[in-house]
Amino acid sequence: MDTALKRFKAEFFKALAHPGRIRIIECLRSGEKTVGEIQAYLVEEPASASQHLALLRAKGIVEGRKSGTSVHYHVRDPKIFDLLDIAREIFNAHLVDTREMLSQLADEELSVSRANAADQ
């Protein structure tokens, strides 16, 4: 059972491991969209929208609803947005840490430069 859960988690995160798929999910945050609307949102790579949607659908992350000749997609479980929001918070925390570290390095380099200039 534990192995099945770990496998499920790994496959789930693998499905999210592409910027285009994350963008599709973010696009669906505001509600159901057609493939055409999703393709328009993915300006950089609209041709791959169908492939990304197929993978997200296969992993149970999005669902499609056929209406005439259009398919309307929505996120199956809105908790995915909470997951993406938490990931953004973690990323932002790392950015803050990185900025602080870079600031400290810059201060140290400035101190060394000043010390070297004073020695000359």
Side-chain angles (χ1 to χ4, degrees), residues 86-106:
I86 290 169
R88 183 178 294 116
E89 289 174 21
I90 292 167
F91 176 75
N92 286 340
H94 283 286
L95 280 179
V96 168
D97 292 344
T98 301
R99 284 182 184 150
E100 288 174 6
M101 184 178 63
L102 289 173
S103 177
Q104 289 173 358
L105 286 171

Side-chain angles (χ1 to χ4, degrees), residues 5 17 24 29 45 57 65 79 87-88 94 97 109:
L5 179 58
I24 287 171
R29 188 181 284 260
E45 50 182 306
R57 192 175 55 247
R65 176 184 62 81
K79 289 180 184 165
R88 183 178 294 116
H94 283 286
D97 292 344
E109 287 179 13

Side-chain angles (χ1 to χ4, degrees), residues 43-89:
V43 178
E44 312 86 46
E45 50 182 306
S48 62
S50 293
Q51 293 171 336
H52 289 314
L53 284 165
L55 191 141
L56 291 170
R57 192 175 55 247
K59 297 301 178 187
I61 296 171
V62 301
E63 291 179 333
R65 176 184 62 81
K66 192 133 171 112
S67 176
T69 59
S70 297
V71 178
H72 298 263
Y73 283 93
H74 65 276
V75 169
R76 186 171 172 218
D77 186 341
K79 289 180 184 165
I80 189 90
F81 302 124
D82 296 336
L83 178 66
L84 293 180
D85 291 342
I86 290 169
R88 183 178 294 116
E89 289 174 21

